[in-house]
Amino acid sequence: MNIRRVFYSVLAGGAIAAGGLAVPAAQAVEAPVPATATASSQAVAADNWEYVGDFFWQSDCHAAGAAGTKWTKYKCINGSAVPGDDYELWVVYK
């Protein structure tokens, strides 16, 4: 009986600890348009960035972004709470 109680206590504690350690990914933010820009240049600067996927290595993210033929621009954003882990690929489609 004691073994069962210890087992369930450890199992419940592990579930609580795993849920408490989960950190949400940082949100991607577009760079603001300078205040001195004209109305026509603001229209050009307003790109529609779309999320494509996550990559563990930054080099893999840049390789996938450069190899894409369906978009004109790409950027790799560090989307994880741990620096150097989990890069997000964002692109502007043609």
Side-chain angles (χ1 to χ4, degrees), residues 49-74:
W49 290 94
E50 294 187 33
Y51 171 77
V52 174
D54 288 324
F55 295 88
F56 185 76
W57 300 106
Q58 185 178 18
S59 59
D60 290 343
C61 182
H62 284 291
T69 58
K70 296 181 180 179
W71 49 78
T72 57
K73 292 195 260 185
Y74 76 93

Side-chain angles (χ1 to χ4, degrees), residues 14-23:
I16 291 171
L21 296 177
V23 179

Side-chain angles (χ1 to χ4, degrees), residues 24-57:
Q27 296 294 319
V29 178
E30 289 187 44
V33 177
T36 58
T38 63
S40 63
S41 66
Q42 285 180 354
V44 172
D47 293 327
N48 292 324
W49 290 94
E50 294 187 33
Y51 171 77
V52 174
D54 288 324
F55 295 88
F56 185 76
W57 300 106

